[in-house]
Amino acid sequence: MTKLDSETIDQIQANLFPASQPAISDWQGFDWHKDRQGRPDTMLAKSSQALAIDLFGCLKVADDRNLVMADLADCLDLPTDGPWELGLEWTDPDRLLREPRPTQVDAIAWSPQAVVLFECKFTEGPGNCSQPKPIQAGRHRGLVQCDGDYHPQRNPVTETEGRCALTGKGIRYWDHAGALFGLDPEADHRPCPFRGEGYQWMRNLATCRALMEKRGVAGAVVGVYVDRPGLLMADKVRSEDWTRMVESILPPPVLRAMSYDQMLAVAKTASPDTKRWRQLEIWMTNKIDQVCD
C-alpha cells in the first residue's frame, strides 16, 4: 500500500465535513477511492466517497446515532431497536458469497435485529458485470468470459462450463439471485437479467441476504443518491426500468432509493442537535451545487 503524503491527506480532509472526520481512525489504512492511475480522488468535489463520508461519517460518531437510525429503520419497515453501529467502506470478512474480492458497500449499519447496506451515488451510475467485456490486460487480453446470456457456455479463461461465468469461479450470487428475483437458476435467461445496471444491486442484495441468514436479522439495501436533474442515479430512480426492477424483487431484503435530502430530513427530525445536521446540510448542498452548476 502506497503511503499518503501529508498534502494528499490535507486535501482529502478539506473535502470532508469537519464533524465527520473523526470517523476515519486510520487515514493511511482507509480504503480511499482511486483513479485509474491508482491515486486517491476523494479530494475532488464530485467524489461520491467524500459525500458518503460526510453523511455516514457524521452519523457514525454522532451521540444521537441511535435516534436517527431508529427513524431511518422505521422508514424501511425494519426493527428500530438499537444499539446501532456503523461502518464505512465495508466488506464481508466472512466472504459469505465466496467472492475473491468481497462486494464493498459505502456504508453499513447494523443492530441486534437488522442490517442496512448503503450504496451511495453522486454523478456516477451503478456498476455493470465485467464478464461480458473483453479482458483489458494480461495473458488473457481480449478474451470474453460470457456472451451476456445466462445459458450453458464455456469460459475460455477458466475452461469451466455453466450458465454464469461467476458461478463457475465459485461465486455464490445465484445462490441468492434466484430467490430474490423469482428466477430459476437452472433455466436459461436471455439476456442475463444482471448483465447491465441491475448487476450492482443484485450483488448488494445477495450480500445483504447472506448476512441476514447468518445473523438471523431483517435487512434492506438503500441506494442513496443526489437528487439533481441530469444525474444518472437521480434519473434512474424515476425510470420505468428502476420501478420494474424494484417490483421484481421478492423480499426480504428490500431495495429502496433515498436521496441525500431525504436522509438529512430524517436526521434533522430525529435528532435534538438540529444545528449540527443543518450545518452538514449546508456543507453538502454547497458541494453538490458546485458540481451540478
Side-chain angles (χ1 to χ4, degrees):
M1 180 178 63
T2 303
K3 186 175 181 179
L4 301 183
D5 56 51
S6 59
E7 181 181 359
T8 298
I9 292 177
D10 288 345
Q11 290 173 340
I12 292 174
Q13 290 177 337
N15 196 34
L16 298 177
F17 184 58
S20 303
Q21 295 181 22
I24 310 297
S25 59
D26 181 3
W27 291 86
Q28 290 292 344
F30 191 77
D31 194 359
W32 302 108
H33 288 188
K34 297 176 176 62
D35 61 21
R36 293 182 179 180
Q37 285 72 46
R39 299 169 300 194
D41 58 11
T42 314
M43 69 283 291
L44 301 180
K46 67 176 183 179
S47 167
S48 62
Q49 182 180 51
L51 203 65
I53 294 172
D54 286 340
L55 176 61
F56 291 101
C58 188
L59 183 56
K60 176 181 171 65
V61 299
D63 293 335
D64 52 19
R65 177 181 63 246
N66 287 325
L67 294 174
V68 176
M69 280 306 308
D71 275 20
L72 180 59
D74 187 55
C75 292
L76 299 171
D77 299 319
L78 296 177
T80 60
D81 291 345
W84 285 91
E85 301 293 336
L86 268 86
L88 303 174
E89 298 298 339
W90 179 88
T91 56
D92 173 22
D94 298 320
R95 300 200 172 201
L96 297 174
L97 299 180
R98 304 294 184 263
E99 300 165 290
R101 187 178 186 277
T103 295
Q104 185 164 329
V105 296
D106 297 306
I108 181 173
W110 69 92
S111 73
Q113 299 181 45
V115 61
V116 187
L117 306 185
F118 299 96
E119 183 65 38
C120 303
K121 302 297 182 185
F122 193 168
T123 62
E124 78 280 19
N128 298 341
C129 182
S130 64
Q131 303 305 290
K133 302 175 182 178
I135 295 174
Q136 296 298 307
R139 64 190 183 95
H140 298 300
R141 181 177 179 179
L143 292 182
V144 175
Q145 301 181 77
C146 170
D147 65 9
D149 291 333
Y150 184 82
H151 71 114
Q153 55 186 295
R154 180 178 174 276
N155 184 335
V157 174
T158 62
E159 298 185 352
T160 57
E161 295 188 3
R163 287 184 169 85
C164 175
L166 295 171
T167 302
K169 298 176 182 180
I171 300 173
R172 300 176 59 183
Y173 295 152
W174 276 92
D175 286 10
H176 300 276
L180 283 165
F181 290 88
L183 300 170
D184 181 0
E186 301 303 320
D188 296 348
H189 302 284
R190 300 175 186 267
C192 174
F194 309 117
R195 174 177 179 170
E197 294 180 351
Y199 173 71
Q200 185 170 35
W201 303 114
M202 178 275 291
R203 285 178 55 181
N204 289 340
L205 287 162
T207 300
C208 189
R209 190 170 185 267
L211 282 173
M212 291 165 60
E213 290 182 352
K214 179 179 174 59
R215 300 183 183 185
V217 297
V221 173
V222 181
V224 186
Y225 65 100
V226 174
D227 191 6
R228 295 292 189 277
L231 295 184
L232 291 174
M233 191 61 189
D235 291 344
K236 183 68 176 178
V237 300
R238 292 178 169 85
S239 70
E240 293 181 359
D241 288 345
W242 175 266
T243 300
R244 280 195 297 267
M245 182 181 67
V246 171
E247 290 179 348
S248 72
I249 297 169
L250 305 176
V254 297
L255 173 63
R256 300 280 181 85
M258 293 186 70
S259 70
Y260 276 104
D261 293 336
Q262 290 172 317
M263 297 284 292
L264 286 165
V266 170
K268 288 189 297 180
T269 300
S271 172
D273 187 4
T274 55
K275 179 180 179 180
R276 175 167 47 84
W277 291 105
R278 176 56 183 158
Q279 289 173 337
L280 174 60
E281 182 179 46
I282 293 171
W283 172 277
M284 294 177 68
T285 299
N286 287 341
K287 184 185 295 186
I288 292 168
D289 288 347
Q290 176 185 348
V291 172
C292 294
D293 292 344

